[in-house]
Amino acid sequence: MRAVQITEFGGPEVLTQVELPSPTPEPGELLVEVSRAGVNFADTHQTENSYLTRTVLPVVPGGEVVGTTQDGRRVTGLTRGGGYAQFAIVPEVTAFDVPDSVDDLHALSMVAQGATAWLLLRRTAPMRRGETVVVHAAAGGVGTIAVQLARRWGAGRVIATASSEDKRRLALDLGADVALDSTTEDMAAALKDANDGRGVDVVLDMTGGPTTDASIEALGPFGRLAFYGMANRTEPTPVQLVRLMAKSRTVAGLWLQHAFRLPDRPVHRAVAELFELVAAGELRAVAGGDYALSEVRRAHEDLLARRTTGKLLLDPNR
């Protein structure tokens, strides 16, 4: 089968197309003929060996796929790696049947980015009706869905941040009330100004570094920040507990993998609800590019250079 493999760590240049044997599923696993794989920021961390878990070489990257099983089921799900290939293994526990009314773009968008946005707003930093929600990287895969969900679930104000005028316009089209330039020098002041001088209630942050520091500063009493990524590769300033106590602030983290271990199955509830919204035309994924497998390096380059919006797809058959 055609696949992309990493044999050394580095940037997009280490992604190499190769021919490999198709994987063999174990009990509790599905062999999926991949129609599309998702491309995520986590994949760029994996090529550098800078993600939450360490990577053992050689490896086929790719954490999510959509396709068809050997018995004809159309499924999407999270892999344990190996998604950038014509065939991939998906554990049954992280697999979801895809309704006919949901296309590949939306299937992949909802199983990872959509479920993440749902969990951030429902569980990690639960949003209450009427509250102000800040969505950083609002034109990205999680951000575009989070803006729509926050608006749908009754946010009093949705403040988006993005790096270009086109991305900010997209965030406004999706339901944001205000769209700020993410390169603003004093982000804490900008967020408060956009909220009529008051501290904000919820911040969804996948950026890290100074953006996180400013966002914590912008939280009002009982404000919550949910941290779910580190796109700029810079660690935030260590959080001082006294700063949290001073305004009863909360800072929390989310890694989607952990949610699959919970007995109430929140990811399955999230994906089912999101698929229903997609089928009803009430939630949409933003297409960020459909790349051939042979263009995988360009996909990573575009993602790292912030040239993309929404969800990036990889076609293993091209």
Side-chain angles (χ1 to χ4, degrees), residues 72-117:
R73 290 169 57 193
R74 182 164 170 257
V75 301
T76 185
L78 303 185
T79 72
R80 298 189 182 103
Y84 289 7
Q86 289 181 300
F87 292 90
I89 298 294
V90 177
E92 281 273 16
V93 70
T94 62
F96 303 85
D97 288 290
V98 182
D100 292 339
S101 55
V102 176
D103 61 17
D104 283 357
L105 168 66
H106 284 83
L108 280 174
S109 296
M110 298 308 143
V111 76
Q113 282 75 29
T116 296

Short mmCIF file of all heavy atoms in Angstrom, two decimals, residues 72-117:
data_model
loop_
_atom_site.label_atom_id
_atom_site.label_comp_id
_atom_site.label_asym_id
_atom_site.label_seq_id
_atom_site.Cartn_x
_atom_site.Cartn_y
_atom_site.Cartn_z
N GLY A 72 -17.82 -3.56 4.78
CA GLY A 72 -18.62 -2.55 4.09
C GLY A 72 -19.14 -1.42 4.93
O GLY A 72 -19.90 -0.57 4.42
N ARG A 73 -18.75 -1.34 6.20
CA ARG A 73 -19.18 -0.22 7.03
C ARG A 73 -18.38 1.04 6.67
O ARG A 73 -17.17 0.96 6.47
CB ARG A 73 -18.96 -0.52 8.52
CG ARG A 73 -19.86 -1.55 9.11
CD ARG A 73 -19.36 -1.95 10.50
NE ARG A 73 -19.24 -0.83 11.42
CZ ARG A 73 -18.59 -0.88 12.58
NH1 ARG A 73 -17.95 -2.00 12.94
NH2 ARG A 73 -18.54 0.18 13.37
N ARG A 74 -19.06 2.17 6.61
CA ARG A 74 -18.36 3.44 6.43
C ARG A 74 -18.15 4.03 7.82
O ARG A 74 -19.11 4.31 8.55
CB ARG A 74 -19.16 4.39 5.55
CG ARG A 74 -18.47 5.72 5.28
CD ARG A 74 -19.10 6.46 4.12
NE ARG A 74 -18.59 7.81 4.03
CZ ARG A 74 -19.26 8.90 4.42
NH1 ARG A 74 -20.49 8.77 4.91
NH2 ARG A 74 -18.72 10.11 4.33
N VAL A 75 -16.88 4.19 8.19
CA VAL A 75 -16.57 4.63 9.54
C VAL A 75 -15.53 5.74 9.52
O VAL A 75 -14.79 5.91 8.54
CB VAL A 75 -16.03 3.46 10.42
CG1 VAL A 75 -17.05 2.34 10.51
CG2 VAL A 75 -14.69 2.96 9.90
N THR A 76 -15.50 6.48 10.60
CA THR A 76 -14.42 7.42 10.86
C THR A 76 -13.93 7.16 12.28
O THR A 76 -14.65 6.57 13.09
CB THR A 76 -14.89 8.88 10.72
OG1 THR A 76 -13.76 9.76 10.87
CG2 THR A 76 -15.94 9.24 11.76
N GLY A 77 -12.71 7.53 12.56
CA GLY A 77 -12.22 7.29 13.91
C GLY A 77 -10.78 7.70 14.09
O GLY A 77 -10.08 8.06 13.14
N LEU A 78 -10.35 7.62 15.34
CA LEU A 78 -8.98 7.94 15.70
C LEU A 78 -8.13 6.67 15.64
O LEU A 78 -8.57 5.60 16.07
CB LEU A 78 -8.93 8.52 17.10
CG LEU A 78 -9.77 9.78 17.35
CD1 LEU A 78 -9.51 10.31 18.75
CD2 LEU A 78 -9.51 10.86 16.31
N THR A 79 -6.95 6.80 15.10
CA THR A 79 -6.00 5.70 15.02
C THR A 79 -4.97 5.83 16.14
O THR A 79 -4.94 6.82 16.86
CB THR A 79 -5.27 5.69 13.68
OG1 THR A 79 -4.34 6.79 13.67
CG2 THR A 79 -6.24 5.83 12.51
N ARG A 80 -4.11 4.85 16.25
CA ARG A 80 -2.94 4.97 17.12
C ARG A 80 -1.71 5.30 16.27
O ARG A 80 -0.59 4.90 16.56
CB ARG A 80 -2.71 3.67 17.88
CG ARG A 80 -3.87 3.28 18.81
CD ARG A 80 -3.49 2.09 19.69
NE ARG A 80 -4.60 1.69 20.54
CZ ARG A 80 -5.37 0.64 20.32
NH1 ARG A 80 -5.16 -0.14 19.26
NH2 ARG A 80 -6.35 0.32 21.15
N GLY A 81 -1.93 6.06 15.21
CA GLY A 81 -0.91 6.32 14.20
C GLY A 81 -1.23 5.49 12.96
O GLY A 81 -2.06 4.58 12.99
N GLY A 82 -0.59 5.82 11.86
CA GLY A 82 -0.78 5.03 10.64
C GLY A 82 -1.84 5.55 9.71
O GLY A 82 -2.19 4.87 8.73
N GLY A 83 -2.37 6.75 9.96
CA GLY A 83 -3.46 7.26 9.14
C GLY A 83 -3.08 7.72 7.75
O GLY A 83 -3.90 7.71 6.83
N TYR A 84 -1.80 8.10 7.54
CA TYR A 84 -1.36 8.58 6.24
C TYR A 84 -1.05 7.38 5.34
O TYR A 84 0.10 7.13 4.97
CB TYR A 84 -0.11 9.43 6.36
CG TYR A 84 -0.26 10.79 7.01
CD1 TYR A 84 -1.44 11.21 7.61
CD2 TYR A 84 0.81 11.69 7.03
CE1 TYR A 84 -1.54 12.46 8.19
CE2 TYR A 84 0.72 12.94 7.61
CZ TYR A 84 -0.47 13.32 8.20
OH TYR A 84 -0.57 14.57 8.77
N ALA A 85 -2.07 6.64 4.97
CA ALA A 85 -1.86 5.41 4.20
C ALA A 85 -3.17 5.00 3.55
O ALA A 85 -4.25 5.50 3.88
CB ALA A 85 -1.35 4.30 5.11
N GLN A 86 -3.07 4.06 2.60
CA GLN A 86 -4.28 3.56 1.94
C GLN A 86 -5.10 2.65 2.84
O GLN A 86 -6.32 2.53 2.65
CB GLN A 86 -3.89 2.81 0.66
CG GLN A 86 -3.39 3.75 -0.45
CD GLN A 86 -3.04 2.98 -1.72
OE1 GLN A 86 -2.17 2.12 -1.69
NE2 GLN A 86 -3.71 3.30 -2.81
N PHE A 87 -4.46 2.01 3.83
CA PHE A 87 -5.17 1.20 4.81
C PHE A 87 -4.66 1.56 6.20
O PHE A 87 -3.46 1.79 6.39
CB PHE A 87 -4.95 -0.30 4.54
CG PHE A 87 -5.61 -0.79 3.28
CD1 PHE A 87 -4.92 -0.77 2.06
CD2 PHE A 87 -6.91 -1.28 3.30
CE1 PHE A 87 -5.52 -1.21 0.90
CE2 PHE A 87 -7.52 -1.72 2.14
CZ PHE A 87 -6.82 -1.69 0.93
N ALA A 88 -5.57 1.58 7.18
CA ALA A 88 -5.19 1.95 8.53
C ALA A 88 -6.01 1.13 9.53
O ALA A 88 -7.11 0.67 9.22
CB ALA A 88 -5.41 3.44 8.76
N ILE A 89 -5.47 1.01 10.73
CA ILE A 89 -6.14 0.31 11.82
C ILE A 89 -6.83 1.34 12.71
O ILE A 89 -6.22 2.32 13.15
CB ILE A 89 -5.14 -0.50 12.66
CG1 ILE A 89 -4.47 -1.58 11.80
CG2 ILE A 89 -5.83 -1.10 13.88
CD1 ILE A 89 -5.41 -2.66 11.31
N VAL A 90 -8.12 1.09 12.98
CA VAL A 90 -8.89 1.92 13.90
C VAL A 90 -9.43 1.05 15.02
O VAL A 90 -10.17 0.10 14.73
CB VAL A 90 -10.05 2.64 13.19
CG1 VAL A 90 -10.88 3.46 14.18
CG2 VAL A 90 -9.53 3.55 12.08
N PRO A 91 -9.10 1.31 16.27
CA PRO A 91 -9.69 0.55 17.37
C PRO A 91 -11.21 0.73 17.38
O PRO A 91 -11.72 1.84 17.13
CB PRO A 91 -9.05 1.16 18.62
CG PRO A 91 -7.78 1.78 18.13
CD PRO A 91 -8.09 2.28 16.75
N GLU A 92 -11.94 -0.33 17.67
CA GLU A 92 -13.41 -0.25 17.71
C GLU A 92 -13.87 0.85 18.67
O GLU A 92 -14.86 1.54 18.39
CB GLU A 92 -13.99 -1.60 18.15
CG GLU A 92 -14.06 -2.65 17.05
CD GLU A 92 -15.34 -2.56 16.23
OE1 GLU A 92 -16.04 -1.51 16.31
OE2 GLU A 92 -15.64 -3.54 15.53
N VAL A 93 -13.15 1.03 19.77
CA VAL A 93 -13.60 1.98 20.79
C VAL A 93 -13.52 3.41 20.31
O VAL A 93 -14.22 4.29 20.82
CB VAL A 93 -12.78 1.80 22.09
CG1 VAL A 93 -11.34 2.26 21.91
CG2 VAL A 93 -13.44 2.52 23.25
N THR A 94 -12.70 3.69 19.29
CA THR A 94 -12.59 5.06 18.77
C THR A 94 -13.16 5.17 17.36
O THR A 94 -12.84 6.11 16.63
CB THR A 94 -11.12 5.52 18.77
OG1 THR A 94 -10.34 4.68 17.91
CG2 THR A 94 -10.54 5.51 20.16
N ALA A 95 -14.00 4.22 16.97
CA ALA A 95 -14.61 4.22 15.64
C ALA A 95 -16.08 4.64 15.72
O ALA A 95 -16.78 4.32 16.68
CB ALA A 95 -14.51 2.83 15.01
N PHE A 96 -16.53 5.33 14.69
CA PHE A 96 -17.90 5.83 14.64
C PHE A 96 -18.47 5.56 13.25
O PHE A 96 -17.84 5.91 12.24
CB PHE A 96 -17.95 7.34 14.91
CG PHE A 96 -17.33 7.74 16.22
CD1 PHE A 96 -15.96 7.96 16.31
CD2 PHE A 96 -18.10 7.87 17.35
CE1 PHE A 96 -15.37 8.32 17.51
CE2 PHE A 96 -17.52 8.23 18.56
CZ PHE A 96 -16.16 8.46 18.64
N ASP A 97 -19.66 4.98 13.19
CA ASP A 97 -20.32 4.81 11.90
C ASP A 97 -20.76 6.17 11.38
O ASP A 97 -21.26 7.02 12.14
CB ASP A 97 -21.53 3.89 12.05
CG ASP A 97 -21.11 2.44 12.26
OD1 ASP A 97 -20.59 1.84 11.30
OD2 ASP A 97 -21.28 1.93 13.38
N VAL A 98 -20.58 6.38 10.07
CA VAL A 98 -20.86 7.68 9.46
C VAL A 98 -22.18 7.61 8.70
O VAL A 98 -22.33 6.78 7.80
CB VAL A 98 -19.73 8.10 8.50
CG1 VAL A 98 -20.02 9.47 7.91
CG2 VAL A 98 -18.38 8.10 9.22
N PRO A 99 -23.14 8.46 9.03
CA PRO A 99 -24.40 8.48 8.28
C PRO A 99 -24.17 8.87 6.83
O PRO A 99 -23.22 9.59 6.50
CB PRO A 99 -25.22 9.55 9.01
CG PRO A 99 -24.56 9.73 10.34
CD PRO A 99 -23.11 9.43 10.13
N ASP A 100 -25.06 8.43 5.95
CA ASP A 100 -24.95 8.76 4.52
C ASP A 100 -25.01 10.27 4.30
O ASP A 100 -24.47 10.78 3.31
CB ASP A 100 -26.07 8.08 3.73
CG ASP A 100 -25.91 6.56 3.69
OD1 ASP A 100 -24.78 6.08 3.91
OD2 ASP A 100 -26.92 5.87 3.44
N SER A 101 -25.66 10.99 5.20
CA SER A 101 -25.83 12.43 5.04
C SER A 101 -24.59 13.23 5.43
O SER A 101 -24.57 14.46 5.29
CB SER A 101 -27.01 12.91 5.89
OG SER A 101 -26.83 12.53 7.25
N VAL A 102 -23.55 12.55 5.91
CA VAL A 102 -22.33 13.23 6.36
C VAL A 102 -21.17 12.86 5.44
O VAL A 102 -20.84 11.68 5.30
CB VAL A 102 -21.99 12.84 7.82
CG1 VAL A 102 -20.67 13.47 8.26
CG2 VAL A 102 -23.12 13.26 8.75
N ASP A 103 -20.57 13.85 4.78
CA ASP A 103 -19.48 13.56 3.84
C ASP A 103 -18.16 13.38 4.58
O ASP A 103 -18.08 13.54 5.81
CB ASP A 103 -19.38 14.66 2.77
CG ASP A 103 -19.07 16.04 3.34
OD1 ASP A 103 -18.62 16.14 4.51
OD2 ASP A 103 -19.27 17.04 2.62
N ASP A 104 -17.12 13.04 3.85
CA ASP A 104 -15.82 12.77 4.46
C ASP A 104 -15.28 13.97 5.22
O ASP A 104 -14.70 13.82 6.31
CB ASP A 104 -14.80 12.34 3.39
CG ASP A 104 -14.99 10.91 2.92
OD1 ASP A 104 -15.88 10.21 3.46
OD2 ASP A 104 -14.25 10.48 2.01
N LEU A 105 -15.41 15.16 4.66
CA LEU A 105 -14.93 16.37 5.33
C LEU A 105 -15.56 16.52 6.70
O LEU A 105 -14.86 16.73 7.71
CB LEU A 105 -15.23 17.60 4.47
CG LEU A 105 -15.02 18.96 5.17
CD1 LEU A 105 -13.56 19.18 5.49
CD2 LEU A 105 -15.57 20.10 4.31
N HIS A 106 -16.88 16.40 6.76
CA HIS A 106 -17.57 16.59 8.03
C HIS A 106 -17.34 15.41 8.98
O HIS A 106 -17.27 15.59 10.19
CB HIS A 106 -19.05 16.81 7.78
CG HIS A 106 -19.37 18.18 7.28
ND1 HIS A 106 -19.27 18.52 5.94
CD2 HIS A 106 -19.74 19.31 7.93
CE1 HIS A 106 -19.58 19.80 5.79
NE2 HIS A 106 -19.88 20.30 6.98
N ALA A 107 -17.20 14.20 8.44
CA ALA A 107 -16.93 13.05 9.29
C ALA A 107 -15.62 13.23 10.04
O ALA A 107 -15.54 13.02 11.26
CB ALA A 107 -16.90 11.77 8.45
N LEU A 108 -14.57 13.62 9.33
CA LEU A 108 -13.27 13.82 9.97
C LEU A 108 -13.27 15.04 10.89
O LEU A 108 -12.68 15.02 11.97
CB LEU A 108 -12.17 13.97 8.92
CG LEU A 108 -11.66 12.67 8.29
CD1 LEU A 108 -10.70 12.97 7.16
CD2 LEU A 108 -10.97 11.80 9.33
N SER A 109 -13.94 16.09 10.47
CA SER A 109 -13.97 17.31 11.28
C SER A 109 -14.65 17.10 12.62
O SER A 109 -14.22 17.63 13.65
CB SER A 109 -14.67 18.44 10.52
OG SER A 109 -13.97 18.78 9.35
N MET A 110 -15.72 16.31 12.63
CA MET A 110 -16.48 16.16 13.87
C MET A 110 -15.85 15.16 14.83
O MET A 110 -15.97 15.30 16.04
CB MET A 110 -17.92 15.73 13.54
CG MET A 110 -18.67 16.76 12.73
SD MET A 110 -18.63 18.42 13.45
CE MET A 110 -18.53 19.43 11.97
N VAL A 111 -15.16 14.15 14.33
CA VAL A 111 -14.63 13.12 15.23
C VAL A 111 -13.45 13.61 16.06
O VAL A 111 -13.22 13.13 17.17
CB VAL A 111 -14.25 11.84 14.46
CG1 VAL A 111 -12.94 12.01 13.70
CG2 VAL A 111 -14.17 10.65 15.40
N ALA A 112 -12.71 14.58 15.57
CA ALA A 112 -11.56 15.09 16.33
C ALA A 112 -11.80 16.54 16.73
O ALA A 112 -11.96 16.86 17.91
CB ALA A 112 -10.28 14.94 15.53
N GLN A 113 -11.82 17.44 15.76
CA GLN A 113 -11.99 18.86 16.06
C GLN A 113 -13.36 19.14 16.69
O GLN A 113 -13.47 19.88 17.66
CB GLN A 113 -11.81 19.71 14.79
CG GLN A 113 -10.37 19.92 14.39
CD GLN A 113 -9.76 18.68 13.76
OE1 GLN A 113 -10.45 17.87 13.14
NE2 GLN A 113 -8.46 18.52 13.91
N GLY A 114 -14.40 18.57 16.12
CA GLY A 114 -15.74 18.82 16.65
C GLY A 114 -15.89 18.30 18.07
O GLY A 114 -16.41 19.00 18.95
N ALA A 115 -15.45 17.07 18.31
CA ALA A 115 -15.54 16.50 19.66
C ALA A 115 -14.71 17.31 20.65
O ALA A 115 -15.10 17.50 21.80
CB ALA A 115 -15.09 15.05 19.64
N THR A 116 -13.55 17.80 20.20
CA THR A 116 -12.72 18.64 21.07
C THR A 116 -13.46 19.92 21.44
O THR A 116 -13.51 20.31 22.62
CB THR A 116 -11.39 18.97 20.39
OG1 THR A 116 -10.65 17.75 20.20
CG2 THR A 116 -10.56 19.93 21.23
N ALA A 117 -14.04 20.60 20.44
CA ALA A 117 -14.79 21.83 20.72
C ALA A 117 -15.96 21.56 21.66
O ALA A 117 -16.22 22.34 22.60
CB ALA A 117 -15.28 22.44 19.41
#
